[in-house]
Amino acid sequence: MSQRLPISRVINLIREECQRLWTVDQSEGRRRLLASDVDGVLQLDGSFALVAQDGERVVLARSLDRPMRYFLAKSTDGPALIVAERIDEIAAELTRRGWADQFHPSYSRMVPAHHVTTLRLVGCPDPNPVQKRFFDPPRSILPKDLDLIGRHYIEALYAELRRWLAVHDPALPIGVPFSGGIDSGAILLCLYKLLLNEGHSPARLKAFTLSVDSEGDDARQAHDFLSRTQLEMLGEIIDVSSDALDPLRAVAVIEDYKPLDVDCAAVNLALLEGIRERYPDWRLLVDGDGGDENLKDYPIEENSELTIRSVVNNRMLYQEGWGVDSIKHSLTYSGGYSRGCVRSYACAREYGFEGFSPYTRPSVIAVAEAIPFAELTEGSHERLYALKGEIVARGIRSVLGLEMPVFPKRRFQHGSVSATQAARLFPQDEARYRRHFEMLHAVVV
């Protein structure tokens, strides 16, 4: 009689109530994972980080807007897979079980967005996970018609907001972290029209703008945007002291050390703390994260690894990084917004908000991927940077019948403070942030 092997263990630390599936329950989501039904996984509406097990086979998948990490531990009974949203949750679980000596943050792994990850818990040696893509939209299939492109893009955005609105309590207020920029501006206008069209009161809606030390161009820009669209009644300034900006705390919250993400998280935490202090029961936030990634609106000159050809010719480069099959892909962090999603998700979680960005939904990204960027830009950085405002403004005009103000791009962390203070508050010191991140786990290592 053959010896019976122990059942492989999966320790799932992601609470079921954190899942935000809109149209099916979690058991159906797990069934689709185990069935290798990639089309079914793609059709999972909402925000999710799911794990399913069939014996030694474990399957994981997540939506783009949230993290999902795992760590393979060893015990005398065999391998144990720990799944969590955060690295520090994994470390704490290992310590609780007496396995702290196995931990190092770099041994944790991030499930890459838009892929189903399959592991087999068979013991030493552990086989590498297998990644199977479930979202692969066709690229550059739309004509070079900015009016058509804009209409398709905003229609997709509006449809995702409508579906999100339908699954939430109509009595709950909705907040938009608002700079008056293109992404948050389009969100605010779509939500305003949507509430009216669905028979809801637009009084549910509020645009929250951060101002540090009563400075920053975002406050002025937001006022100008709201004034020109006759929506001044929606605006609210959250004024905080520069002492409230703590990049090292942001490192701990997002568990990352990339300066742009850390600095963005620092101001996001200050904004969310200000909202929470003013409104203790507020829950719903809709932000514009992912909009820059979709329409490729980042200064290529600031990244020596990028050229305009690599930006316009690589599939979902800003959403996924260089891809799971690339040497440049980080197993610990993933890449692109698949990595950067934590700057929104972890900050919202820290203060008890439920966040949502329609720009991260596959239907919206699919329209963005269908844009013929190479043909429209013809190698010109300036044409690429001008596209986003043109596409979104034309789409808002076509779908909503509104004229949307378009202002030059400015990062959240730079718009919330005075120009003279930006360099002091955001020193871009990756080495310092990395040292602090490593120090957070020094006791465990």
Side-chain angles (χ1 to χ4, degrees):
M1 184 175 179
S2 62
Q3 181 182 5
R4 183 178 179 181
L5 296 175
I7 296 176
S8 301
R9 281 184 290 176
V10 176
I11 304 163
N12 185 7
L13 303 179
I14 301 177
R15 294 173 294 126
E16 292 211 355
E17 59 267 28
C18 292
Q19 307 291 347
R20 302 278 183 246
L21 290 171
W22 299 345
T23 55
V24 300
D25 60 20
Q26 293 175 51
S27 62
E28 171 60 18
R30 289 190 287 268
R31 186 201 67 76
R32 295 181 188 185
L33 288 183
L34 289 174
S36 299
D37 181 5
V38 289
D39 289 335
V41 175
L42 178 59
Q43 296 305 317
L44 290 175
D45 286 331
S47 176
F48 61 89
L50 295 173
V51 54
Q53 182 180 12
D54 179 16
E56 69 181 26
R57 182 169 70 105
V58 183
V59 190
L60 310 99
R62 68 176 173 99
S63 49
L64 175 63
D65 62 326
R66 62 191 297 164
M68 185 182 195
R69 305 181 187 278
Y70 62 93
F71 186 101
L72 190 62
K74 301 294 185 183
S75 74
T76 55
D77 295 329
L81 186 73
I82 302 174
V83 182
E85 291 182 344
R86 298 182 55 81
I87 295 173
D88 58 13
E89 291 173 340
I90 293 173
E93 183 67 16
L94 288 168
T95 300
R96 191 179 73 81
R97 293 177 178 270
W99 302 334
D101 59 341
Q102 299 186 34
F103 177 76
H104 190 278
S106 66
Y107 295 165
S108 66
R109 296 287 181 259
M110 178 82 88
V111 174
H114 301 151
H115 290 75
V116 173
T117 299
T118 300
L119 301 101
R120 293 194 175 273
L121 305 185
V122 297
C124 297
D126 305 304
N128 281 326
V130 175
Q131 311 288 0
K132 186 174 183 180
R133 177 174 287 280
F134 67 80
F135 178 46
D136 189 11
R139 305 188 68 247
S140 304
I141 59 172
L142 288 173
K144 294 169 54 178
D145 181 339
L146 294 183
D147 287 320
L148 178 68
I149 291 170
R151 177 165 58 82
H152 283 322
Y153 191 65
I154 299 303
E155 282 176 343
L157 190 75
Y158 186 91
E160 290 296 342
L161 285 168
R162 188 169 185 264
R163 295 161 81 189
W164 173 85
L165 187 69
V167 298
H168 287 90
D169 186 340
L172 291 178
I174 302 168
V176 177
F178 184 71
S179 67
I182 295 170
D183 295 320
S184 62
I187 292 289
L188 189 72
L189 294 179
C190 283
L191 278 173
Y192 178 73
K193 276 286 194 176
L194 179 61
L195 289 170
L196 290 175
N197 292 342
E198 298 293 311
H200 297 263
S201 170
R204 289 178 62 189
L205 192 59
K206 193 172 288 293
F208 294 113
T209 304
L210 180 67
S211 177
V212 178
D213 294 334
S214 301
E215 294 284 351
D217 290 331
D218 277 0
R220 292 183 283 272
Q221 179 174 281
H223 179 269
D224 192 9
F225 185 104
L226 296 173
S227 176
R228 290 167 62 176
T229 54
Q230 300 181 8
L231 296 176
E232 298 99 319
M233 68 286 191
L234 302 182
E236 185 165 336
I237 299 293
I238 302 295
D239 204 335
V240 305
S241 166
S242 55
D243 294 337
L245 302 184
D246 186 351
L248 295 186
R249 182 186 172 223
V251 169
V253 171
I254 69 172
E255 301 185 307
D256 206 343
Y257 44 80
K258 290 295 183 182
L260 291 176
D261 289 328
V262 170
D263 297 341
C264 181
V267 293
N268 196 19
L269 286 167
L271 172 64
L272 298 180
E273 182 177 18
I275 298 172
R276 179 57 71 222
E277 288 178 352
R278 196 172 295 184
Y279 300 101
D281 299 323
W282 201 290
R283 184 160 65 90
L284 300 181
L285 295 176
V286 183
D287 63 55
D289 248 20
D292 283 336
E293 286 79 2
N294 288 352
L295 298 184
K296 307 185 187 300
D297 193 25
Y298 283 111
I300 297 170
E301 299 82 1
E302 293 181 6
N303 189 330
S304 60
E305 293 186 345
L306 296 180
T307 65
I308 190 169
R309 292 189 60 159
S310 64
V311 168
V312 301
N313 290 323
N314 278 277
R315 174 182 55 193
M316 291 184 279
L317 176 65
Y318 284 139
Q319 289 92 345
E320 299 182 1
W322 295 103
V324 297
D325 296 323
S326 167
I327 290 176
K328 293 182 180 180
H329 178 74
S330 170
L331 298 177
T332 305
Y333 286 106
S334 190
Y337 190 75
S338 181
R339 174 179 188 160
C341 67
V342 183
R343 68 182 181 237
S344 290
Y345 186 86
C347 294
R349 169 179 152 159
E350 184 78 1
Y351 286 104
F353 292 103
E354 179 188 327
F356 172 65
S357 172
Y359 294 110
T360 66
R361 295 288 300 137
S363 68
V364 179
I365 297 173
V367 177
E369 283 294 288
I371 298 171
F373 283 102
E375 295 180 56
L376 289 168
T377 58
E378 297 181 336
S380 167
H381 293 205
E382 291 72 23
R383 289 182 186 177
L384 177 62
Y385 303 150
L387 271 181
K388 181 179 176 181
E390 279 287 321
I391 289 171
V392 175
R394 291 179 188 224
I396 291 291
R397 182 184 305 121
S398 173
V399 177
L400 304 183
L402 299 173
E403 294 297 324
M404 188 183 86
V406 174
F407 302 100
K409 175 181 171 59
R410 185 169 51 241
R411 295 187 188 275
F412 182 17
Q413 56 265 43
H414 298 147
S416 60
V417 305
S418 69
T420 57
Q421 291 279 59
R424 178 182 70 84
L425 295 171
F426 309 118
Q428 298 288 293
D429 192 348
E430 181 171 332
R432 179 186 178 219
Y433 298 159
R434 187 189 288 264
R435 285 195 302 270
H436 184 69
F437 172 75
E438 292 170 350
M439 185 191 70
L440 294 172
H441 295 288
V443 176
V444 180
V445 174

